[in-house]
Amino acid sequence: MSYEFGPFRLVPAERTLERDGSSVAIGSRAFDLLTALVENGGAVVSKKDLHARVWPDMVVDEVSLRVHVSGLRKLLGEASGGKQYITNVSGRGYAFSVPVRRAPSDAIPPSILPDGATSVLPPLLSRMVGREHLVQDIAERLLQCRFLSLIGPGGIGKTTVAVATAHAAQAEFSHGVVFADLTTIVDGDLVASAIANLLGVPVASRDPTSDITSVVRQKRLLLVLDNCEHIIDAVARFAEHVFLECPEVYLLTTSRETLRVEGEHVLVVPPLEAPPEGHPLRPEEMLAFPAVRLFVDRTYASGGSLELTAEEISVAASICRRLEGVALAIELVAGRAGVHGLLQMPDLLDYRFGLYWQGRRTALPRHQTMAALHDWSYNLLSDREKLGFRRLGWIVGEFSIDAAMAICGFDDIAEASLMIEGLADKFLLSRFLSQDGTRTYRMSETARAYALEKLQRSQANELRETALGHARYHLRVLEDAIGKADTFRLTGTPASHRKALPNIRLALRWCYDDEASVETGARLAAASAPVLLELSLLDECHRWTALALDRLPAEMAGSVEEARLQQALAVSGIIVRNGNSNVSEAFSQALAIAERIANERMQLDILAGLNIFEMRAGNCYKGLDIALESQRIASVKDLEARNLVQWMLGVAFSYSGDLKRASEHLDASCSDWRSEPVRFNLCVFTQRIRAYVQFGRVLCLQGHGSAARRYVLKAIEDASAYGHPIPHCIALAYAASTLIWLGDWNDAADLVMRLRTIAGENSLAAFSAVSKGLEGELAVRKGLSDVGVPLLEEALDIMTSENHHHMIVSFLAALAEGLARTDRYDRGRATLIEAFRVAEASGEKFQIAEMCRLQAVLALQSEGQPVEEARKHLDRAWDLACEHGALAFQLRVALTARHYPQLLSDSVPNVEEVLARFVSDEDSHDIRLAKS
């Protein structure tokens, strides 16, 4: 907000006063006095209030106020008509007596984000000195070249400029702007994973770069990669890949050196301009330079005076030249000027640094230049502040007062607050205030590097005490979250723990580097595993749990922590490539512990995961056994546990073809139609989705197509709201299969396309193959067998290699039908025989009746096969359809008999008789065919 009166413009946020567009020199007290009066334009401000505003925490007499008011009147002159700007109201105070116009500040124009875009951006700084034109230039160049790196020394202001540019340019990007602060990434191998988390892309592979490019390839998006230098090789590979693969994605990076990759354009962020040496300037002319303005601002903020003498302004200009206009260096030096006096600063700098600033920078590695500044600042701290500064350097990113207490070893919150606020006042920590009012802090990257160096050179035990306190703090936070969460539900903390992941990773790495802390590491891995699963960081979850179990201390064997580790290893192993080999054993180990401690819900949760694994692997018989075992365990009084068991039983019976029993279990447990899905954990929620889509298929086969549609669409709605790709893919796949059976081919095609997109974006190879198989099956149903057959063949090959056996029987049957329709009868019969073999071996037998019907058609079309043999197959198809209660299959058998009169027998009724068994308003492709 700015205020305009007469020829003047006052901007409190920038602490500037202009007259006809030119800067007006004004002292700090006078500025505060003018602001207080202008903000209350027209109203009387008491002398007491003015004293509190201009001289907080100081006792001054009334004479000082009168002197400053007099000085202001002299500075402002007279308003039009000879009127005074400031009026004295006797006995009450002062008032600003001319009209004041309020207007929004226009230093950087506000950006309007287009509808539908999502931006992840830090807020703009309220005060940015001397960078407005640079920001505009960077925004224009970025839009021209698409890939721009901002380079320069540490502390030059690259991040500030990048944030401002992103805000200024975001209206150009229809899919938003995403800011990635890479200072929290200590391992280059985790760059892509961190960016995937920020973009909301679940990671299931070791290299998520391709996952990210699949998501953003066609999106007009600005990706800002900030602070790349410490992991520059990894960032360079990632940025080049995104640039080449995603033609609509724009890249803005900040680093101390160029990435040196294809497509990169470079802009060197210049230092803040300082008065040139050897050119005599008046004080007001020196104050017009951005470097000096920044220095004066920060000096005032640290307790110094804004009313500087000509000598002090000259010294400030000299210091800014020595610091080469590096913003961070200027801020650090100015931060102490308020304490020691500005005129003392050159001597302090000479004493501490020893060499001219530029010489030190060229003679030593990059961080040494900033280390010199931090060394000087560090030596001004008290012993308690030094201890806190060193230890807080271990933390990655933002931290709370609780974290600081645990890591610094403070028991008294008042003592900790005093230390932290002291560091923040000295600009060694930055303060942040979240939307919920929580205060957090963050150490800059250069300060943290310096603090870590000091920590490593400290007493032998200090580093270990710090790292152990850090690990134990995050362990406590995670265990508290798990302790409050219900076994069947999410921890409810992924949003907050997404920010904590860099520290959790740091703590885990340290624990396993320190032999004496392996037990803490195991507990931390067990506590973090549920969060990693919820964030879909399956590969990372699998690696940490495998390491923890491999190095599990003997005293933790059989503990709840081991059960959690085994369970997380197994659940992640279902999806992670090459993770299947130890899944069954891990589930068994976890279950044994849960049984020993008599934790019913943990047992059921583990069995739910094991049930998914076995049935996905084509072991439907085992899946039914697990469901029956769960039924034995579940308490009668636990409704959610009973529903979970019903879901597993219903799905298992549906695969076996026992539609009646499947319907009984699913009808009893799938009646919860709340608009928002319950926040179950991944395994329990996946069972819920499986139950809904399988109930839809059961209803479809029983002839209730309308109800089937409602259930499968409800499953998709809930899975989409849940936000995890695995249950979402399951819902889409089985819903599409049901709609294909019903003949809703256009809707099925839409679902197949959505499945292919989500599976591709999340690198779920098995579900990508399922989408291909469904596309092939749909083509066969629509009479495009030449298209469908190769799709089905490719899908079956991939699904087998991925150990994903769900739908293999269906796809084999569809492939056999497609081969028959293209006159490849021998291959069709061989494929159908394989389908029967797989169905019997796996227990996936719900469509045996349909396969027998197809066997009859193939037998009829084969040379040398007697009609009686074909008729036997059709009669068996009818018997099985009736036995299973599959009215849809019964109608298909009757339609086949009508189409091939030679197959007619006394066993199979006519089409009209079967059609009469359907509810009158039911509709499907076969019903329409029967009525034609």
Side-chain angles (χ1 to χ4, degrees):
M1 178 69 70
S2 64
Y3 301 85
E4 296 174 359
F5 47 94
F8 294 96
R9 181 171 180 267
L10 177 73
V11 186
E14 298 182 6
R15 300 191 65 79
T16 59
L17 176 66
E18 297 174 357
R19 181 185 184 118
D20 295 325
S22 299
S23 178
V24 176
I26 181 172
S28 64
R29 308 292 186 198
F31 187 92
D32 287 343
L33 178 59
L34 177 61
T35 302
L37 292 168
V38 169
E39 286 177 345
N40 292 277
V44 177
V45 184
S46 70
K47 296 175 183 179
K48 179 180 178 182
D49 289 339
L50 289 174
H51 275 290
R53 176 73 175 267
V54 180
W55 292 278
D57 304 320
M58 293 180 63
V59 178
V60 295
D61 57 24
E62 192 173 327
V63 174
S64 296
L65 179 59
R66 288 202 302 270
V67 169
H68 278 80
V69 169
S70 176
L72 264 180
R73 285 171 173 162
K74 183 177 179 181
L75 177 70
L76 296 174
E78 292 182 347
S80 60
K83 186 177 181 180
Q84 291 285 336
Y85 282 94
I86 302 172
T87 302
N88 179 27
V89 181
S90 180
R92 295 180 59 194
Y94 295 90
F96 202 75
S97 54
V98 300
V100 175
R101 231 169 7 95
R102 290 172 169 80
S105 177
D106 58 359
I108 295 180
S111 299
I112 300 174
L113 197 62
D115 291 342
T118 300
S119 289
V120 181
L121 271 175
L124 276 169
L125 292 178
S126 59
R127 171 75 165 158
M128 185 176 66
V129 178
R131 298 300 196 189
E132 294 80 8
H133 295 299
L134 176 63
V135 168
Q136 184 178 358
D137 180 48
I138 292 171
E140 291 173 355
R141 290 188 59 176
L142 176 64
L143 293 173
Q144 292 170 0
C145 69
R146 200 163 70 80
F147 184 179
L148 184 62
S149 289
L150 306 181
I151 66 167
I156 199 68
K158 301 183 293 295
T159 298
T160 298
V161 169
V163 170
T165 301
H167 277 277
Q170 64 178 330
E172 298 289 335
F173 300 96
S174 56
H175 291 94
V177 180
V178 175
F179 184 93
D181 180 2
L182 301 183
T183 56
T184 60
I185 307 301
V186 294
D187 184 350
D189 292 338
L190 297 175
V191 168
S193 292
I195 295 172
N197 280 334
L198 197 60
L199 290 167
V201 178
V203 176
S205 60
R206 288 187 178 275
D207 181 15
T209 302
S210 58
D211 306 356
I212 295 171
T213 55
S214 296
V215 173
V216 303
R217 180 169 284 115
Q218 300 302 324
K219 294 186 177 180
R220 187 172 176 83
L221 172 77
L222 172 59
L223 182 58
V224 183
L225 305 179
D226 187 45
N227 294 297
C228 303
E229 55 269 6
H230 60 300
I231 43 174
I232 196 162
D233 292 335
V235 176
R237 291 191 297 271
F238 174 83
E240 183 178 62
H241 185 83
V242 171
F243 175 80
L244 296 175
E245 295 294 325
C246 305
E248 291 299 310
V249 175
Y250 287 64
L251 292 160
L252 181 64
T253 72
T254 71
S255 176
R256 296 187 191 179
E257 58 181 312
T258 60
L259 303 185
R260 295 192 296 275
V261 294
E262 185 174 348
E264 181 190 33
H265 290 68
V266 175
L267 186 146
V268 178
V269 176
L272 292 173
E273 190 178 1
E277 193 170 7
H279 292 74
L281 295 172
R282 296 191 304 273
E284 58 267 28
E285 291 175 326
M286 286 186 280
L287 284 170
F289 285 86
V292 180
R293 290 210 310 271
L294 177 64
F295 190 99
V296 173
D297 281 355
R298 296 301 183 260
T299 299
Y300 172 73
S302 68
S305 174
L306 199 58
E307 300 175 33
L308 302 180
T309 66
E311 182 183 7
E312 288 173 326
I313 293 173
S314 179
V315 169
S318 174
I319 292 173
C320 289
R321 283 194 297 269
R322 290 185 63 187
L323 300 179
E324 300 181 338
V326 175
L328 177 60
I330 291 171
E331 291 183 8
L332 288 171
V333 175
R336 301 269 56 85
V339 177
H340 299 282
L342 202 156
L343 297 180
Q344 303 300 315
M345 300 311 297
D347 290 338
L348 280 173
L349 285 171
D350 287 338
Y351 170 77
R352 194 66 193 99
F353 294 150
L355 296 173
Y356 185 66
W357 185 256
Q358 185 175 359
R360 284 292 298 266
R361 185 161 67 90
T362 55
L364 298 173
R366 292 191 305 272
H367 69 277
Q368 289 297 316
T369 298
M370 300 310 297
L373 279 176
H374 285 301
D375 199 23
W376 169 81
S377 184
Y378 180 79
N379 282 298
L380 296 175
L381 301 177
S382 67
D383 289 343
R384 202 63 167 162
E385 286 175 329
K386 287 179 180 179
L387 173 68
F389 177 71
R390 290 194 301 269
R391 294 194 171 196
L392 291 175
W394 186 256
I395 306 173
V396 184
E398 291 183 33
F399 59 88
S400 65
I401 186 72
D402 288 340
M405 289 178 64
I407 292 160
C408 296
F410 293 163
D411 296 324
D412 183 7
I413 190 170
E415 180 186 18
S417 297
L418 185 64
M419 180 272 295
I420 290 174
E421 289 297 329
L423 293 176
D425 288 342
K426 298 173 180 68
F427 302 98
L428 293 172
L429 294 176
S430 298
R431 299 180 180 93
F432 299 90
L433 192 64
S434 63
Q435 290 182 346
D436 63 1
T438 304
R439 172 80 74 180
T440 57
Y441 304 85
R442 182 179 179 276
M443 191 177 288
S444 71
E445 57 169 317
T446 51
R448 181 170 181 263
Y450 178 86
L452 284 172
E453 185 177 295
K454 285 290 184 182
L455 181 63
Q456 290 161 355
R457 294 178 180 178
S458 62
Q459 297 178 0
N461 288 332
E462 186 176 323
L463 174 57
R464 185 174 187 279
E465 288 173 359
T466 301
L468 188 58
H470 175 265
R472 286 175 173 169
Y473 167 76
H474 287 286
L475 173 61
R476 173 170 58 82
V477 171
L478 288 167
E479 287 188 336
D480 285 349
I482 291 175
K484 294 174 183 175
D486 182 89
T487 304
F488 283 178
R489 283 175 170 75
L490 301 172
T491 64
T493 56
S496 59
H497 285 150
R498 191 185 294 273
K499 284 188 174 181
L501 275 176
N503 281 294
I504 294 171
R505 290 165 176 151
L506 173 63
L508 283 167
R509 279 196 300 272
W510 181 82
C511 286
Y512 285 104
D513 286 340
D514 183 67
E515 287 297 330
S517 301
V518 171
E519 181 180 348
T520 300
R523 290 175 59 196
L524 186 59
S528 61
V531 176
L532 295 174
L533 288 175
E534 289 170 28
L535 294 175
S536 196
L537 297 172
L538 302 179
D539 186 75
E540 189 171 357
C541 178
H542 197 262
R543 283 188 284 114
W544 283 121
T545 51
L547 175 63
L549 287 166
D550 184 58
R551 298 181 61 182
L552 191 72
E555 57 271 22
M556 291 185 68
S559 64
V560 173
E561 287 81 9
E562 185 192 356
R564 291 195 183 116
L565 288 168
Q566 297 283 8
Q567 184 182 9
L569 179 73
V571 171
S572 59
I574 295 174
I575 300 298
V576 170
R577 188 179 294 274
N578 301 321
N580 284 178
S581 59
N582 52 9
V583 168
S584 293
E585 177 62 21
F587 272 129
S588 297
Q589 294 284 351
L591 185 60
I593 296 171
E595 289 173 346
R596 182 178 57 77
I597 63 177
N599 189 324
E600 176 188 304
R601 280 206 159 195
M602 179 179 276
Q603 292 177 63
L604 292 173
D605 191 28
I606 293 166
L607 288 170
L610 180 58
N611 172 268
I612 292 170
F613 170 70
E614 293 294 357
M615 296 194 72
R616 181 181 187 271
N619 300 322
C620 295
Y621 298 115
K622 285 187 178 180
L624 178 56
D625 290 341
I626 293 166
L628 291 170
E629 174 66 11
S630 300
Q631 186 178 38
R632 182 188 65 79
I633 294 170
S635 168
V636 175
K637 296 180 180 179
D638 190 337
L639 178 60
E640 289 181 346
R642 291 207 322 272
N643 280 341
L644 175 60
V645 171
Q646 298 266 43
W647 296 337
M648 287 192 279
L649 286 169
V651 171
F653 283 126
S654 74
Y655 273 96
S656 72
D658 192 340
L659 302 185
K660 183 176 183 299
R661 294 177 72 182
S663 183
E664 290 172 354
H665 289 291
L666 296 174
D667 190 33
S669 58
C670 293
S671 58
D672 181 4
W673 280 71
R674 283 175 289 183
S675 58
E676 291 189 11
V678 177
R679 303 305 289 177
F680 289 125
N681 67 34
L682 181 58
C683 283
V684 177
F685 182 79
T686 300
Q687 289 288 6
R688 183 177 189 264
I689 291 301
R690 292 173 76 231
Y692 270 72
V693 290
Q694 290 301 325
F695 193 25
R697 184 164 70 182
V698 167
L699 290 167
C700 167
L701 297 181
Q702 289 178 326
H704 307 299
S706 298
R709 292 181 181 92
R710 289 197 300 272
Y711 272 96
V712 298
L713 294 178
K714 173 62 175 173
I716 293 172
E717 177 188 342
D718 286 0
S720 176
Y722 189 78
H724 199 289
I726 292 172
H728 199 177
C729 285
I730 290 172
L732 290 168
Y734 287 95
S737 176
T738 297
L739 294 187
I740 290 172
W741 277 98
L742 289 169
D744 299 353
W745 293 336
N746 290 336
D747 291 340
D750 290 342
L751 297 185
V752 171
M753 184 175 297
R754 286 172 61 184
L755 173 62
R756 181 168 63 246
T757 299
I758 293 172
E761 288 176 348
N762 295 283
S763 299
L764 298 174
F767 284 110
S768 292
V770 169
S771 72
K772 197 179 295 290
L774 288 166
E775 187 179 356
E777 182 179 354
L778 183 57
V780 170
R781 297 283 180 262
K782 294 168 69 174
L784 303 173
S785 296
D786 285 336
V787 175
V789 165
L791 289 170
L792 285 161
E793 290 175 332
E794 183 180 355
L796 287 164
D797 286 343
I798 298 173
M799 290 167 66
T800 302
S801 68
E802 292 288 329
N803 197 38
H804 186 104
H805 292 271
H806 276 335
M807 291 192 167
I808 279 186
V809 174
S810 298
F811 289 165
L812 284 170
L815 177 60
E817 184 175 354
L819 290 167
R821 290 186 179 185
T822 53
D823 300 328
R824 289 175 278 183
Y825 300 115
D826 289 342
R827 280 197 60 200
R829 281 192 300 274
T831 301
L832 193 58
I833 290 170
E834 175 65 8
F836 276 111
R837 185 196 67 77
V838 173
E840 289 295 336
S842 68
E844 188 174 337
K845 299 189 288 187
F846 73 94
Q847 64 184 83
I848 291 287
E850 168 64 7
M851 291 158 57
C852 289
R853 184 196 67 81
L854 183 57
Q855 193 175 31
V857 174
L858 282 170
L860 190 63
Q861 295 171 337
S862 302
E863 294 183 6
Q865 287 282 344
V867 175
E868 291 77 11
E869 187 69 22
R871 193 177 294 125
K872 284 182 181 179
H873 292 313
L874 195 66
D875 287 346
R876 183 165 182 261
W878 174 259
D879 292 341
L880 287 170
C882 292
E883 178 185 333
H884 293 164
L887 185 56
F889 286 156
Q890 294 172 33
L891 179 59
R892 193 164 285 190
V893 172
L895 285 169
T896 301
R898 185 175 76 176
H899 187 74
Y900 299 101
Q902 60 269 49
L903 294 179
L904 286 172
S905 69
D906 295 336
S907 301
V908 181
N910 61 43
V911 170
E912 290 71 21
E913 184 179 339
V914 177
L915 190 59
R917 301 175 185 177
F918 286 84
V919 176
S920 59
D921 60 349
E922 284 294 344
D923 179 65
S924 71
H925 175 74
D926 288 346
I927 289 175
R928 293 190 295 271
L929 191 62
K931 292 178 179 179
S932 64

